Amino acid sequence: MSLEEAYLFGLIAGRGHIYADSSFIAIEFSHANEFVEGIAHCHSCGDLATKTSTAPEGKLVCKNASCKAIVDASVKKQYNQPAETAASLKDVIIPFLSSAIPAKYEVSGNKAMTLLLIDFSSNPNAFARIIEAYSPEQSFDNFHIPEIVNNFSHQEKIEFINGLLDTSGFANAGGWLNRDGENLHGRMRAYFQIVRNWHMPVEIDNFLRKHFKLPTHTIDWGHPNIRDGNLTEVYGDEKAASWSREHQIKFFPEYYGIFKFRISSKQALFQELLNHNIAAGFSKSEDWFPPSQFSIRQVKANHPGESDPRIPLPARRHVNAFWQLNLFMGCEYLGKLQSECQHPEMFALNGSDEFGYEELKTLFEERSKKLHDEKYEAYIDAQKRKSENPTTTTRRRRTTPEADTYPPLVNFFTKHLSKKYSQDVLSFDTSSGNLNAFLKNNAKDLLETFENCEKFRIRPDVVAFLSVEKRLAFIESKVTPLDLSALGQLVGYCLVAKPIEAILVSTQPPSPSFIRILKANKSLLEYEVGRYIQIATLLPNEVVEFTPI
């Protein structure tokens, strides 16, 4: 295996899609914000400077208690992620890969995502090795670290992690810990962001420990007990369910200097974080392993999302600490600790090796139920007060360019579905909040007919209700060129609610590369057997034009 192939394996594991029938691979490089900023240091003492509630507009305050100087925010370096990602792909990554892997390389994208498209039609042997390594999976949502990677040379393993970092790694100056080093304040962290894949977080942690003896600070799982442990989302109006979005493996840059990003903006930010931590003088290695025991005070409330079918069976349960998910999802190091315990069930319950499992389990369960019931009762009481004391205050609607597309799409959807299914259809702009909250506030009568909507904490832009079929239909609207990120958002809604029809529409025509990807693997559009998301363009005359796939 060459270093170039090892790096490509990391890119694919992080954000790759394999299209076996067309010898084609698409790799995502996401950048949610067009610009990211670096660290601000005080011009007087050199310590960390941050935004505070008392700081003047455009100013920061030094964290050094004996200094507290006012620092201009312009001292932060600024990085243009889309521009630097595209430039890094064309000038660095593609030349590196193509030096050993003959293929046709193409770059496309927008402000939210850049795509590297690789056509292996002329290099079937290289493509066959990739297929074999990741088989039977074809997308990063379900990939495992290929077994062959464990047999790579040391330098090849480094290149594999470099690839993972470029696609799923992020350096963020805002993710620092409130710690004091010997010289400076604030311990910076970087992280791997793993989208939807429940196997990869533990596999990456296992890999880093086994082959590099590197610590990870924490794994922030996208599990309801971890992300919404106090139930503020599930029992709060107009809030999105953040728990199901992604997982993050957080680490300290100073231990990861053997790796490098080839995306210039990421590497520059990573180097800023690393340099700060070294200058700050942090000597303690803060590692999540071994796990900390916890008491009943740290028990979390039961959460309705614990049984969500999107969660794999090993993790589809109540947890009170993130490390329990590490154990259930296959952490080799926790597994070894548990195997050495006299009371392995107690170890999984609270990290100890003592008697009294059944008693403590019952105590924990009663506590979890009590915490849930208290939150739920408070939520119900709040809803009753709202209905008994209506207010004349109108919730402010978001005023984005996308909002201008909703009225014509509501009109189109009603006509389109009424004609297609020969029944009455009601369509609404539901973009302002979750579907269940919208119905409670605007169309309570529909809740009786479409009772499952009570469970849907999703927020499609336009939703239609078919009176005879008793089914929903969704439109997700964009004003930017469509990409895999926008598609993934709508796929998530569809997997939850199983609409009779779903359309991803934009005011801009889809790019040829995006359509090429979809035609190469139509399964990306399928959310239920025989049902596919449709791609369309909203024309200036408010006509919706479908794109055949």
Side-chain angles (χ1 to χ4, degrees):
M1 185 70 65
S2 68
L3 296 180
E4 293 81 2
E5 286 180 296
Y7 174 70
L8 178 60
F9 271 45
L11 294 177
I12 294 169
R15 289 287 194 279
H17 302 271
I18 300 173
Y19 303 99
D21 295 339
S22 55
S23 301
F24 184 79
I25 288 176
I27 299 170
E28 301 178 11
F29 296 81
S30 64
H31 28 75
N33 299 310
E34 183 177 4
F35 292 94
V36 290
E37 295 180 326
I39 304 173
H41 287 111
C42 176
H43 53 78
S44 298
C45 70
D47 213 330
L48 181 67
T50 64
K51 178 71 176 175
T52 67
S53 58
T54 57
E57 183 68 26
K59 303 294 181 181
L60 310 171
V61 177
C62 176
K63 297 296 289 184
N64 185 339
S66 62
C67 177
K68 290 193 173 295
I70 300 298
V71 179
D72 196 284
S74 63
V75 302
K76 295 191 223 177
K77 292 181 180 178
Q78 194 172 68
Y79 304 93
N80 184 320
Q81 293 192 103
E84 294 201 36
T85 300
S88 297
L89 282 165
K90 293 174 183 176
D91 300 337
V92 179
I93 293 174
I94 290 177
F96 175 66
L97 292 173
S98 61
S99 67
I101 311 172
K104 182 180 178 181
Y105 297 87
E106 181 183 344
V107 176
S108 68
N110 55 37
K111 290 181 180 180
M113 180 183 296
T114 302
L115 288 173
L116 173 60
L117 311 173
I118 311 176
D119 187 343
F120 283 89
S121 299
S122 61
N123 192 349
N125 291 334
F127 192 69
R129 286 194 293 273
I130 294 169
I131 292 287
E132 182 180 6
Y134 288 95
S135 180
E137 308 302 342
Q138 296 191 351
S139 176
F140 67 87
D141 308 69
N142 298 302
F143 284 153
H144 295 266
I145 293 179
E147 185 58 39
I148 191 176
V149 176
N150 290 297
N151 300 322
F152 282 3
S153 70
H154 182 70
Q155 193 58 43
E156 288 166 356
K157 289 170 184 168
I158 289 176
E159 284 297 351
F160 175 78
I161 295 297
N162 290 343
L164 268 177
L165 285 169
D166 272 331
T167 46
S168 62
F170 296 88
N172 187 333
W176 52 274
L177 286 178
N178 190 19
R179 302 281 193 275
D180 286 315
E182 293 181 10
N183 307 311
L184 302 175
H185 182 79
R187 193 167 196 181
M188 301 292 164
R189 295 182 297 179
Y191 59 93
F192 295 93
Q193 182 163 288
I194 309 302
V195 180
R196 294 185 295 275
N197 188 324
W198 284 80
H199 307 285
M200 195 61 77
V202 159
E203 291 184 14
I204 291 174
D205 185 72
N206 284 340
F207 190 84
L208 291 169
R209 293 179 189 280
K210 179 178 181 179
H211 298 292
F212 300 102
K213 295 182 171 54
L214 286 174
T216 55
H217 178 243
T218 186
I219 298 181
D220 185 10
W221 287 95
H223 186 280
N225 295 138
I226 305 302
R227 292 282 175 82
D228 191 26
N230 57 7
L231 306 178
T232 55
E233 290 188 353
V234 70
Y235 294 135
D237 287 339
E238 307 287 343
K239 292 179 182 280
S242 68
W243 66 260
S244 61
R245 291 175 188 166
E246 79 285 317
H247 321 288
Q248 291 185 350
I249 310 162
K250 299 180 180 180
F251 59 90
F252 298 113
E254 60 267 33
Y255 300 116
Y256 285 66
I258 61 172
F259 306 116
K260 67 177 180 181
F261 295 89
R262 286 186 168 87
I263 301 295
S264 59
S265 56
K266 290 187 175 186
Q267 179 60 30
L269 259 173
F270 180 76
Q271 197 64 49
E272 280 198 45
L273 306 188
L274 188 155
N275 292 344
H276 171 89
N277 282 3
I278 291 175
F282 290 103
S283 57
K284 182 182 177 183
S285 174
E286 298 184 55
D287 191 354
W288 75 263
F289 183 84
S292 300
Q293 297 181 27
F294 57 86
S295 66
I296 193 168
R297 289 178 299 175
Q298 291 151 301
V299 167
K300 299 182 184 296
N302 286 335
H303 194 293
E306 293 168 21
S307 59
D308 192 290
R310 290 172 293 178
I311 303 174
L313 287 174
R316 199 181 301 169
R317 60 176 83 187
H318 181 85
V319 297
N320 295 304
F322 81 88
W323 63 259
Q324 292 177 300
L325 290 166
N326 295 19
L327 174 64
F328 302 145
M329 293 308 297
C331 174
E332 296 173 5
Y333 299 87
L334 280 178
K336 185 174 185 300
L337 275 186
Q338 186 183 37
S339 69
E340 297 169 350
C341 290
Q342 293 183 12
H343 309 284
E345 288 184 328
M346 182 66 96
F347 178 81
L349 182 65
N350 80 329
S352 67
D353 187 14
E354 302 169 351
F355 289 106
Y357 168 75
E358 291 296 341
E359 293 83 354
L360 188 63
K361 179 173 179 287
T362 300
L363 194 62
F364 278 11
E365 288 175 347
E366 290 175 350
R367 174 69 172 166
S368 294
K369 183 179 184 303
K370 180 176 183 293
L371 291 172
H372 169 272
D373 292 349
E374 288 173 352
K375 287 281 187 178
Y376 181 73
E377 289 169 8
Y379 169 73
I380 294 300
D381 288 343
Q383 297 305 305
K384 287 180 179 177
R385 287 195 297 272
K386 283 184 181 179
S387 61
E388 292 169 358
N389 302 291
T391 176
T392 56
T393 303
T394 303
R395 182 180 298 275
R396 285 187 64 186
R397 291 296 304 266
R398 62 182 184 180
T399 56
T400 66
E402 290 175 0
D404 294 334
T405 69
Y406 302 150
L409 288 174
V410 167
N411 184 48
F412 155 77
F413 221 18
T414 301
K415 293 178 180 178
H416 167 72
L417 295 171
S418 297
K419 181 178 180 181
K420 184 173 181 177
Y421 295 98
S422 302
Q423 58 193 277
D424 291 336
V425 174
L426 291 173
S427 301
F428 299 93
D429 167 5
T430 56
S431 62
S432 62
N434 289 330
L435 179 56
N436 62 348
F438 172 84
L439 290 175
K440 289 175 184 176
N441 295 328
N442 300 279
K444 289 184 179 179
D445 54 320
L446 287 174
L447 278 175
E448 298 179 7
T449 305
F450 296 84
E451 56 186 18
N452 284 336
C453 290
E454 185 75 23
K455 306 174 184 176
F456 295 157
R457 305 192 68 77
I458 55 178
R459 49 193 313 164
D461 293 327
V462 175
V463 176
F465 299 82
L466 280 70
S467 61
V468 176
E469 298 280 350
K470 300 294 188 291
R471 296 285 295 270
L472 307 177
F474 295 161
I475 288 181
E476 188 66 20
S477 179
K478 304 294 178 185
V479 293
T480 54
L482 300 178
D483 55 23
L484 292 174
S485 178
L487 177 61
Q489 180 182 4
L490 183 54
V491 168
Y493 296 157
C494 293
L495 290 174
V496 171
K498 298 291 190 290
I500 195 170
E501 209 165 292
I503 303 172
L504 181 60
V505 63
S506 175
T507 54
Q508 299 189 37
S511 68
S513 59
F514 179 61
I515 297 303
R516 181 182 175 188
I517 290 172
L518 297 180
K519 287 186 175 181
N521 193 342
K522 193 176 179 181
S523 63
L524 284 173
L525 298 168
E526 189 173 23
Y527 59 89
E528 192 177 15
V529 177
R531 296 196 185 277
Y532 298 84
I533 291 173
Q534 302 169 77
I535 305 300
T537 305
L538 178 62
L539 303 177
N541 60 358
E542 299 188 351
V543 169
V544 174
E545 182 179 82
F546 289 93
T547 299
I549 305 294

